[in-house]
């Protein structure tokens, strides 16, 4: 399966025009990519409702591995749908 990742500061930082753009295009992205569409942004130490997602075990493991690699490089992130 192929995945699409939307990566930006604004994914988790809900301010500014780019966050608005991401928010408004999510509906179309979900129509096109469904469960293969993910967002990834900086972990700002805040709670975001989109982070709680149901995923298959292998998918969850892959995302945890991606997060661990980024965390190990000093890049604290949040990944979700």
């Amino acid at each position: 399966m192929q995945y699409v990742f939307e990566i930006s500061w604004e994914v988790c930082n809900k301010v500014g025009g780019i966050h608005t753009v991401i928010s408004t295009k999510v509906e179309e992205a979900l129509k096109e990519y469904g469960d293969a569409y993910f967002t990834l942004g900086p972990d700002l130490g805040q709670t975001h409702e989109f982070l709680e997602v149901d995923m298959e075990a292998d998918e969850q493991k892959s995302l945890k591995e991606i997060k661990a690699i980024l965390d190990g490089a000093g890049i604290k992130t949040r990944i979700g749908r």
Side-chain angles (χ1 to χ4, degrees):
M1 177 175 227
Q2 294 183 346
Y3 296 95
V4 175
F5 289 87
E6 179 87 38
I7 302 170
S8 76
W9 175 267
E10 289 78 7
V11 165
C12 293
N13 189 19
K14 296 183 176 188
V15 295
I18 295 175
H19 176 75
T20 302
V21 170
I22 292 169
S23 297
T24 56
K25 74 177 185 179
V26 165
E27 187 175 326
E28 288 301 315
L30 290 174
K31 284 180 191 175
E32 180 74 24
Y33 304 110
D35 288 343
Y37 176 74
F38 290 88
T39 58
L40 186 147
D43 185 346
L44 302 172
Q46 302 168 358
T47 303
H48 298 282
E49 66 279 356
F50 71 89
L51 296 173
E52 299 299 323
V53 295
D54 293 323
M55 294 182 275
E56 296 178 16
D58 61 333
E59 184 179 70
Q60 202 169 47
K61 181 181 178 209
S62 296
L63 292 176
K64 285 181 180 180
E65 289 172 355
I66 292 168
K67 182 166 175 27
I69 290 167
L70 292 169
D71 286 350
I75 304 169
K76 301 295 183 192
T77 59
R78 293 223 160 168
I79 302 173
R81 286 196 176 116

